Coordinates of all heavy atoms in Angstrom, one line a residue:
Chain A
R48 N 149.5 178.0 110.6 CA 150.9 178.1 111.0 C 151.7 176.8 110.6 O 152.9 176.8 110.8 CB 151.0 178.2 112.5 CG 150.4 179.6 113.0 CD 150.9 179.9 114.4 NE 150.5 178.9 115.3 CZ 151.1 178.6 116.5 NH1 152.2 179.3 116.8 NH2 150.7 177.7 117.3
Q127 N 135.2 186.5 132.0 CA 136.1 186.8 130.9 C 135.9 185.7 129.8 O 135.4 184.6 130.1 CB 137.5 186.8 131.3 CG 137.9 185.5 132.1 CD 139.2 185.6 132.8 OE1 139.9 184.6 133.0 NE2 139.6 186.8 133.2
K188 N 136.7 174.4 114.5 CA 136.9 175.8 113.9 C 136.0 176.0 112.7 O 135.5 175.0 112.1 CB 138.4 176.0 113.6 CG 139.3 175.7 114.7 CD 140.8 176.0 114.3 CE 141.7 174.9 114.7 NZ 143.1 175.1 114.4
T189 N 136.0 177.2 112.2 CA 135.2 177.5 111.0 C 135.7 176.6 109.8 O 134.9 176.3 109.0 CB 135.4 179.0 110.6 OG1 135.1 179.8 111.8 CG2 134.4 179.4 109.6
G282 N 164.4 169.1 135.9 CA 163.1 168.6 136.4 C 163.1 167.1 136.8 O 162.1 166.6 137.2
E290 N 175.1 162.4 138.3 CA 174.5 163.3 137.3 C 174.9 162.9 135.8 O 174.5 163.6 134.9 CB 174.8 164.7 137.6 CG 176.3 165.0 137.6 CD 176.6 166.5 137.9 OE1 175.6 167.3 137.9 OE2 177.7 166.9 138.1
E369 N 191.2 168.1 124.7 CA 190.9 168.4 126.1 C 190.6 169.9 126.2 O 190.3 170.4 127.3 CB 192.0 168.0 127.0 CG 193.3 168.7 126.8 CD 194.4 167.9 127.3 OE1 194.7 166.8 126.8 OE2 195.1 168.4 128.2
R370 N 190.7 170.6 125.1 CA 190.4 172.1 125.2 C 189.1 172.5 124.6 O 188.7 173.6 124.7 CB 191.5 172.8 124.4 CG 192.8 173.1 125.2 CD 193.9 173.4 124.3 NE 194.9 172.4 124.5 CZ 195.9 172.5 125.4 NH1 196.1 173.6 126.0 NH2 196.7 171.5 125.5
E429 N 212.8 172.5 125.8 CA 212.3 173.3 126.9 C 213.6 173.8 127.7 O 213.7 175.0 128.1 CB 211.5 172.5 127.8 CG 210.7 173.3 128.8 CD 209.6 172.4 129.6 OE1 209.2 171.4 129.0 OE2 209.3 172.7 130.7
R451 N 204.9 182.5 121.0 CA 203.5 181.9 120.8 C 202.7 182.8 119.9 O 202.0 182.3 119.0 CB 202.8 181.8 122.1 CG 201.5 181.2 122.1 CD 200.8 181.1 123.5 NE 201.6 180.5 124.5 CZ 201.7 179.2 124.6 NH1 201.1 178.4 123.8 NH2 202.5 178.7 125.5
S460 N 196.8 179.3 123.0 CA 197.0 178.3 121.9 C 197.2 176.9 122.5 O 197.4 176.8 123.7 CB 198.2 178.7 121.0 OG 199.4 178.3 121.7
Chain B
rG1 P 146.3 192.3 139.8 OP1 146.3 191.9 141.2 OP2 147.2 191.7 138.8 O5' 144.8 192.1 139.3 C5' 143.8 193.0 139.7 C4' 142.5 192.5 139.1 O4' 142.6 192.6 137.6 C3' 142.1 191.1 139.4 O3' 141.4 190.9 140.6 C2' 141.3 190.7 138.2 O2' 139.9 191.1 138.3 C1' 141.9 191.5 137.0 N9 142.9 190.8 136.3 C8 144.3 191.0 136.3 N7 145.0 190.2 135.5 C5 144.0 189.4 135.0 C6 144.1 188.3 134.1 O6 145.1 187.8 133.5 N1 142.9 187.6 133.8 C2 141.7 188.1 134.4 N2 140.6 187.4 134.0 N3 141.5 189.1 135.2 C4 142.7 189.7 135.5
rC12 P 167.2 176.8 139.2 OP1 165.9 176.8 138.6 OP2 167.3 176.9 140.7 O5' 167.9 175.4 138.8 C5' 168.0 175.0 137.5 C4' 168.6 173.6 137.4 O4' 170.0 173.7 137.8 C3' 168.0 172.6 138.3 O3' 166.8 172.1 137.7 C2' 169.1 171.6 138.5 O2' 169.2 170.7 137.4 C1' 170.3 172.5 138.5 N1 170.7 172.9 139.9 C2 171.5 172.0 140.7 O2 171.8 170.9 140.1 N3 171.8 172.3 141.9 C4 171.4 173.5 142.5 N4 171.7 173.7 143.7 C5 170.5 174.4 141.7 C6 170.2 174.1 140.5
rU13 P 165.6 171.6 138.7 OP1 164.6 170.9 137.9 OP2 165.2 172.6 139.6 O5' 166.4 170.4 139.5 C5' 166.1 170.1 140.8 C4' 167.3 169.3 141.3 O4' 168.4 170.1 141.5 C3' 167.0 168.7 142.7 O3' 166.2 167.5 142.6 C2' 168.5 168.4 143.2 O2' 169.0 167.3 142.6 C1' 169.2 169.6 142.6 N1 169.3 170.7 143.6 C2 170.1 170.6 144.7 O2 170.7 169.5 144.8 N3 170.1 171.6 145.6 C4 169.4 172.8 145.5 O4 169.5 173.6 146.4 C5 168.6 172.9 144.3 C6 168.5 171.9 143.5
rA24 P 180.9 168.0 143.9 OP1 182.1 167.4 143.5 OP2 180.9 169.2 144.9 O5' 180.0 168.4 142.6 C5' 179.9 167.5 141.6 C4' 179.0 168.1 140.5 O4' 177.7 168.4 141.1 C3' 179.4 169.5 140.0 O3' 180.5 169.4 139.1 C2' 178.1 170.0 139.5 O2' 177.8 169.5 138.2 C1' 177.1 169.5 140.5 N9 176.9 170.5 141.6 C8 177.4 170.5 142.8 N7 177.0 171.6 143.5 C5 176.2 172.3 142.7 C6 175.5 173.5 142.8 N6 175.5 174.3 143.9 N1 174.8 173.9 141.7 C2 174.8 173.2 140.6 N3 175.4 172.0 140.4 C4 176.1 171.6 141.4
rU34 P 206.4 174.3 132.3 OP1 207.4 173.8 131.3 OP2 206.8 174.7 133.7 O5' 205.7 175.6 131.7 C5' 206.3 176.8 131.7 C4' 205.8 177.7 130.6 O4' 206.3 177.2 129.3 C3' 204.3 177.6 130.4 O3' 203.6 178.5 131.2 C2' 204.1 177.9 128.9 O2' 204.0 179.2 128.7 C1' 205.4 177.3 128.3 N1 205.3 176.0 127.6 C2 204.7 176.0 126.4 O2 204.3 177.0 125.8 N3 204.7 174.8 125.8 C4 205.2 173.6 126.3 O4 205.1 172.5 125.7 C5 205.7 173.7 127.7 C6 205.8 174.9 128.3
rU35 P 202.1 178.2 131.7 OP1 202.0 178.8 133.1 OP2 201.8 176.8 131.5 O5' 201.2 179.1 130.7 C5' 201.4 180.5 130.7 C4' 200.4 181.0 129.6 O4' 200.8 180.6 128.3 C3' 199.0 180.6 129.8 O3' 198.3 181.4 130.7 C2' 198.5 180.7 128.3 O2' 198.2 182.1 128.1 C1' 199.7 180.3 127.5 N1 199.7 178.9 127.1 C2 198.8 178.5 126.1 O2 198.1 179.3 125.6 N3 198.9 177.2 125.8 C4 199.7 176.3 126.3 O4 199.6 175.1 125.9 C5 200.5 176.7 127.4 C6 200.5 178.0 127.7
rC36 P 197.3 180.7 131.7 OP1 196.7 181.8 132.5 OP2 197.9 179.5 132.3 O5' 196.1 180.1 130.7 C5' 195.3 181.0 129.9 C4' 194.5 180.2 128.9 O4' 195.4 179.6 128.0 C3' 193.7 179.1 129.5 O3' 192.5 179.5 130.0 C2' 193.5 178.2 128.2 O2' 192.5 178.8 127.4 C1' 194.9 178.4 127.6 N1 195.8 177.2 127.9 C2 195.6 176.0 127.2 O2 194.8 176.0 126.3 N3 196.4 175.0 127.5 C4 197.3 175.1 128.5 N4 198.1 174.0 128.8 C5 197.5 176.3 129.3 C6 196.7 177.4 128.9
rA37 P 191.8 178.8 131.3 OP1 190.5 179.4 131.4 OP2 192.8 178.7 132.4 O5' 191.6 177.3 130.7 C5' 190.5 177.0 129.9 C4' 190.7 175.6 129.3 O4' 192.0 175.5 128.7 C3' 190.6 174.4 130.3 O3' 189.3 174.1 130.6 C2' 191.3 173.3 129.4 O2' 190.4 172.9 128.4 C1' 192.4 174.1 128.8 N9 193.6 173.9 129.6 C8 194.2 174.8 130.5 N7 195.2 174.4 131.1 C5 195.4 173.1 130.6 C6 196.4 172.1 130.8 N6 197.4 172.2 131.7 N1 196.2 170.9 130.1 C2 195.2 170.8 129.3 N3 194.2 171.7 129.0 C4 194.4 172.8 129.7
rA68 P 157.4 186.3 136.9 OP1 158.3 186.9 135.9 OP2 156.3 187.1 137.4 O5' 156.9 184.9 136.5 C5' 157.8 183.9 136.1 C4' 157.1 182.6 135.9 O4' 156.5 182.2 137.2 C3' 156.0 182.5 135.0 O3' 156.4 182.3 133.6 C2' 155.2 181.4 135.5 O2' 155.8 180.1 135.1 C1' 155.3 181.5 137.0 N9 154.2 182.3 137.6 C8 154.2 183.6 138.0 N7 153.0 183.9 138.5 C5 152.2 182.8 138.4 C6 150.9 182.6 138.8 N6 150.1 183.5 139.3 N1 150.4 181.3 138.5 C2 151.2 180.4 138.0 N3 152.5 180.5 137.6 C4 152.9 181.8 137.8
rC73 P 139.0 181.7 120.4 OP1 139.9 182.8 120.2 OP2 137.6 182.0 120.7 O5' 139.0 180.8 119.1 C5' 139.1 179.4 119.2 C4' 139.5 179.0 117.8 O4' 138.3 179.0 117.0 C3' 140.6 179.9 117.2 O3' 141.7 179.1 116.9 C2' 139.9 180.6 116.0 O2' 140.6 180.6 114.8 C1' 138.6 179.7 115.8 N1 137.5 180.6 115.4 C2 136.9 180.3 114.2 O2 137.3 179.4 113.5 N3 135.8 181.1 113.8 C4 135.4 182.0 114.6 N4 134.3 182.8 114.1 C5 136.0 182.3 115.8 C6 137.0 181.6 116.2
rC74 P 142.5 178.7 115.8 OP1 142.2 179.5 114.6 OP2 142.4 177.2 115.9 O5' 144.1 179.0 116.1 C5' 144.5 179.2 117.4 C4' 145.9 178.6 117.4 O4' 146.8 179.4 118.2 C3' 145.9 177.2 118.1 O3' 145.5 176.2 117.2 C2' 147.4 177.1 118.4 O2' 148.1 176.8 117.2 C1' 147.7 178.5 118.8 N1 147.8 178.8 120.2 C2 149.0 178.9 120.9 O2 150.0 178.8 120.2 N3 149.0 179.1 122.2 C4 147.9 179.2 122.9 N4 148.0 179.4 124.2 C5 146.6 179.1 122.3 C6 146.6 178.8 121.0
rA75 P 145.2 174.8 117.5 OP1 144.5 174.1 116.4 OP2 144.7 174.6 118.9 O5' 146.7 174.3 117.5 C5' 147.1 173.0 117.9 C4' 148.5 173.1 118.6 O4' 148.7 174.4 119.1 C3' 148.6 172.2 119.8 O3' 149.0 170.9 119.4 C2' 149.6 172.9 120.7 O2' 150.9 172.6 120.2 C1' 149.2 174.3 120.4 N9 148.2 174.8 121.4 C8 146.9 174.8 121.2 N7 146.2 175.3 122.3 C5 147.2 175.6 123.2 C6 147.2 176.2 124.5 N6 146.1 176.5 125.1 N1 148.4 176.3 125.1 C2 149.5 175.9 124.5 N3 149.6 175.4 123.3 C4 148.4 175.3 122.7

Side-chain angles (χ1 to χ4, degrees):
Chain A
R48 295 197 302 153
Q127 53 193 208
K188 307 179 226 183
T189 311
E290 60 178 352
E369 64 204 63
R370 275 163 243 268
E429 197 171 331
R451 182 183 307 280
S460 79

